[in-house]
Amino acid sequence: MFPHGKSVYNGGMPTPTDSTAQLIADINRLREERHAVILAHNYQDPEVQDIADYVGDSLELSIKSANLPEPEVIVFCGVDFMAETAKLLAPEKLVLIPDPEAGCPMADMVTPEALRQLKAEHPVAPVVCYVNSSAAVKAECDITCTSANAVQVVNSLQADEVIFVPDQCLGAWVQRHISTRMILWPGFCPTHNLILPDHIRSQRLAHPQAEVMVHPECTAAVIDLADHVVSTGGMVRVARESAAQEFIVATEEGMLHRLRKENPEKGFYHVAPVAMCPNMKKNTLEKILWSLQDLHYAVEVPAEVADRARRAIQRMISVS
Ligand code: SF4
């Protein structure tokens, strides 16, 4: 355990008298002593976002990790593939994830072995891989993409057909904008798939002046009801730039905290309580503190995977 003065913590378990204020004070002290930064994804709980040095989408945070000159330690509050991407782009830094069980069911829907089989069936089709995937899957791909740049990335390949993994909803959304034939992997985000067209319709009835922002991981039927189909970064931009004063937000609930914080004069309505990702909620203030205390859980990517996965990410960055 890292020695940290008068902290009430002892081996990682909080005592019943611990308060949130004490937790935050302990985290702040350790962050300084460890020369650490805390990064939080837009879907994290509000208290995790509020204690973070930077809040953003997975790629923004990974690029931030690579470009931060000072910190020796990065605590990445998100799910495992995000922390892996940060490690790929900042290999010399110690990247920690507070809860190693915070995974992504959509990323787990494709394996390197299964993808190699599909590649063998379509030997000339380049492979585009959504960043929501493991490093081992990224290593099998030609280029990665985000929900913000997927159309641009696929177009950059100038191919007749591409294999797109793992999110079939994002892939189908991209297909609407391009003539390249998309061979879609049948993966999906379980959280965004719980959002139904009726959720949008009932929210529109309740808030008739509101504009509807939908994440492209939602189903086509939900996307069809949107005013804006945008990534989480796109939602931040639309909320800031639109003349609308109210928004219905069809993505994971954590996004609402950032939107409300940055636009206190505007109204934001979550599409439905069911759109909550349990994996994103596994990181807590307690786990962040323990992560800083004990320097766990370190993210490692085997070198032979890391080199190929990094190449796919860097290729995306160069075309975006
Ligand atoms: S919201 Fe969906 S894509 Fe994001 S971590 Fe959760 S399951 Fe994965």
Side-chain angles (χ1 to χ4, degrees):
M1 189 178 72
F2 187 74
H4 55 282
K6 294 179 181 170
S7 167
V8 294
Y9 291 96
N10 179 7
M13 292 300 291
T15 72
T17 56
D18 293 332
S19 67
T20 301
Q22 182 65 55
L23 271 172
I24 291 170
D26 283 351
I27 289 170
N28 285 337
R29 186 180 61 256
L30 275 175
R31 167 168 34 199
E32 203 175 319
E33 290 174 9
R34 292 296 204 193
H35 304 290
V37 292
I38 300 171
L39 307 181
H41 188 267
N42 290 320
Y43 294 163
Q44 293 291 289
D45 273 332
E47 63 269 23
V48 173
Q49 292 191 35
D50 288 345
I51 204 166
D53 297 282
Y54 301 98
V55 178
D57 66 31
S58 61
L59 190 72
E60 278 171 356
L61 294 177
S62 296
I63 293 173
K64 180 65 76 179
S65 307
N67 294 335
L68 285 169
E70 292 296 327
E72 292 156 18
V73 177
I74 293 168
V75 180
F76 201 117
C77 302
V79 294
D80 53 8
F81 74 80
M82 299 177 178
E84 267 190 346
T85 307
K87 181 66 180 176
L88 289 171
L89 293 180
E92 76 291 353
K93 291 172 182 155
L94 177 61
V95 178
L96 305 174
I97 184 165
D99 188 331
E101 300 298 316
C104 170
M106 176 166 75
D108 293 342
M109 288 177 190
V110 59
T111 63
E113 297 75 21
L115 179 53
R116 280 197 289 272
Q117 199 172 328
L118 184 63
K119 285 165 66 173
E121 293 166 19
H122 303 275
V124 296
V127 181
V128 179
C129 175
Y130 189 23
V131 286
N132 295 28
S133 54
S134 68
V137 166
K138 287 184 178 79
E140 295 293 329
C141 297
D142 295 282
I143 188 168
T144 62
C145 75
T146 69
S147 52
N149 64 18
V151 172
Q152 190 184 357
V153 164
V154 175
N155 271 333
S156 76
L157 297 170
Q158 299 185 317
D160 294 332
E161 62 178 14
V162 301
I163 295 170
F164 190 89
V165 299
D167 185 10
Q168 60 181 322
C169 293
L170 176 60
W173 166 246
V174 172
Q175 183 70 87
R176 295 188 190 198
H177 298 88
I178 58 170
S179 57
T180 305
R181 179 173 165 260
M182 305 281 285
I183 302 164
L184 302 179
W185 192 267
F188 61 91
C189 166
T191 298
H192 286 89
N193 264 245
L194 291 174
I195 301 172
L196 302 175
D198 277 352
H199 291 137
I200 305 275
R201 292 190 191 101
S202 61
Q203 289 286 0
R204 273 207 193 270
L205 279 175
H207 310 287
Q209 305 300 322
E211 292 185 351
V212 176
M213 300 194 282
V214 170
H215 194 279
E217 287 175 19
C218 291
T219 63
V222 170
I223 283 176
D224 285 342
L225 299 176
D227 296 309
H228 308 275
V229 181
V230 275
S231 63
T232 56
M235 289 181 182
V236 170
R237 179 179 44 75
V238 168
R240 187 176 56 235
E241 295 176 359
S242 170
Q245 294 301 301
E246 296 178 290
F247 301 87
I248 295 158
V249 182
T251 192
E252 209 278 343
E253 64 167 8
M255 190 69 218
L256 279 284
H257 180 65
R258 180 169 174 193
L259 293 172
R260 287 174 177 144
K261 198 169 168 180
E262 294 184 7
N263 306 275
E265 74 290 0
K266 297 188 176 182
F268 298 92
Y269 312 109
H270 191 215
V271 65
V274 74
M276 191 277 292
C277 175
N279 285 283
M280 281 287 180
K281 308 310 184 197
K282 286 185 175 171
N283 297 310
T284 61
L285 292 181
E286 287 88 348
K287 290 175 188 173
I288 293 169
L289 177 63
W290 302 336
S291 185
L292 284 165
Q293 275 182 177
D294 300 335
L295 293 180
H296 66 200
Y297 295 89
V299 178
E300 298 295 344
V301 184
E304 70 277 11
V305 167
D307 290 344
R308 290 184 292 137
R310 189 179 302 112
R311 205 174 309 134
I313 298 169
Q314 286 171 338
R315 187 173 176 192
M316 169 189 68
I317 292 170
S318 72
V319 302
S320 303

